[in-house]
Amino acid sequence: MNITKEQIDDLNAVVKVAISKEDYQDKVEKILKDYRKQANIPGFRKGQVPMGLIKKQYGKAVLVDEVNKLLQDNLNKYLTEEKLDVLGNPLPKQQDNFDWENENLDFEFELGLAPNFDVQLKTKKAVTQYKIVADKKMIDEQVERIQKQYGKLVSKDEVGKNDEVTGSFANEAEDIDHKTTIELSKIKSKKAVDALVGKKVGDIVTLATKGLFKEDYLLSSALGIARDKADKLSVDVTFTIEEINEREPAKLDQELFNKLFGEGKVSSEKELKDRIKEDSEKQFEQQSDQKLLNDITEKLIDETKFELPADFLKKWIQISGENVLSEDEAKDEYEKSEKGLRYQLIEGKIIQDNNLQVQFDELKEFAKGFIKSQMAQYGHLDPKEEELENIASRVLGNQDEVKRLSEQLMSQKLLDLYKEKANLKVKEVTYDDFVKEAYS
């Protein structure tokens, strides 16, 4: 077998594979002999079918199959040995009048080659790195929420503007009959608030669903219906009052601090607010980091210029899927995927240039950190090392999880690299300003 490469240009090449009879003959003969031993053809005893008949029936199919295996194995080996960075897969060139009867078989494959380029992490224009701070307003609101959450309910005779009312919504035509608790502070409609205030247990109030709550998502849970139905709903419903309570805020004392953070970890209102600020800003950092990663990605795609073997890739897209596409469909698919392909190449170049690698030991530590944060959400704040080790081992026994965590860890490594080497300008903002600036 002989494999040669003809360079068409920087992004395209043709690989020629010459296969001689000696490359495939022994394998084909062995398979045909095995066929002969098993062949069950009327008029012949098993194992006594003439080889000429076996070759006539199965010879070409076996030859094609074995030659294709040879092509695949040796072509992949050649690409690896020659260190050819190809895009997509080699495409066999159409050869008119190809004759499988020839002892020597010649094949040609088109290659689309990855471009050579450099990536400058210090982009021409600086990328904003947001530092989100928890301001006094946010911290005070969080303290109020904590006091409310851990406060106690005090029963009342009639509804006040800040009370919680338990009752049942009903509308026979819309098949609504649902018991729930609503907070008057979350009701948007002034007419609805006025209708509820002063009412007593047993009273029935008619409320309009449209614009009832400050947050639209609350309507579906209050009425016990699907969100898409609630979003379109504009009817009157009755609300039968069954219970009225005022939530008395919890005192900011040591008992509450211990419930929130553990024995003696926080011992004053100031320390509580400091802890809220610290925890909030830690959570905000994840959002600002994701925004930074997205923005640097966009900037690198915009400023890193290189050509792609577009015609080859369109042809590859056209025939590589389950169904063959038309030229226009392949062109459309290429245009949709071009940006993603460009970043894959840019990211690969950055990883290679900076020798970024994911080692198993650090992947395990990363997995343990992820597991620990997940457990903390369910109140398990101090898991033992042995417990983390066992869970991490089980997680890393799943190849899909290994792939997912490896990608997350590599993203973190890229983010750390960008923070160190990219052209960044730090901007300190409140969370509300961050949302306005980042997602407007």
Side-chain angles (χ1 to χ4, degrees), residues 51-62:
M51 181 56 80
L53 187 56
I54 294 293
K55 286 184 177 180
K56 186 177 179 181
Q57 276 198 289
Y58 303 110
K60 186 176 179 180
V62 171

Side-chain angles (χ1 to χ4, degrees), residues 117-119 299-306 342 346:
F117 60 93
D118 293 318
V119 181
K299 188 64 68 178
L300 288 173
I301 292 172
D302 184 54
E303 294 191 6
T304 307
K305 305 296 183 184
F306 54 83
R342 286 184 176 277
I346 291 168

Side-chain angles (χ1 to χ4, degrees), residues 66-78 109:
E66 288 308 308
V67 168
N68 280 329
K69 287 178 184 176
L70 274 173
L71 282 171
Q72 184 175 341
D73 293 345
N74 286 278
L75 188 55
N76 288 338
K77 184 180 177 184
Y78 175 81
F109 295 87

Side-chain angles (χ1 to χ4, degrees), residues 16-63:
K16 298 180 179 181
V17 184
I19 296 180
S20 65
K21 186 176 181 179
E22 290 75 20
D23 295 320
Y24 60 79
Q25 185 176 22
D26 289 348
K27 187 71 173 174
V28 169
E29 290 291 341
K30 181 180 182 304
I31 293 173
L32 290 176
K33 285 177 183 177
D34 290 340
Y35 274 30
R36 186 184 181 215
K37 292 176 186 175
Q38 302 300 325
N40 223 341
I41 296 177
F44 299 97
R45 290 194 331 215
K46 188 173 182 180
Q48 299 300 315
V49 181
M51 181 56 80
L53 187 56
I54 294 293
K55 286 184 177 180
K56 186 177 179 181
Q57 276 198 289
Y58 303 110
K60 186 176 179 180
V62 171
L63 172 65

Side-chain angles (χ1 to χ4, degrees), residues 130-134 281 284-285 287-288 427 429-431 434:
Y130 290 96
K131 178 177 171 52
I132 309 172
V133 296
E281 291 178 356
F284 295 154
E285 190 176 351
Q287 294 184 57
S288 64
K427 184 173 184 180
V429 291
T430 64
Y431 183 74
F434 170 73

Side-chain angles (χ1 to χ4, degrees), residues 7 83 160 252 275 324 352 363 372 411 423:
Q7 194 76 30
K83 298 179 180 177
L252 297 176
R275 182 67 179 264
V324 176
Q352 181 183 15
L363 181 62
K372 193 172 182 179
S411 289
N423 182 13

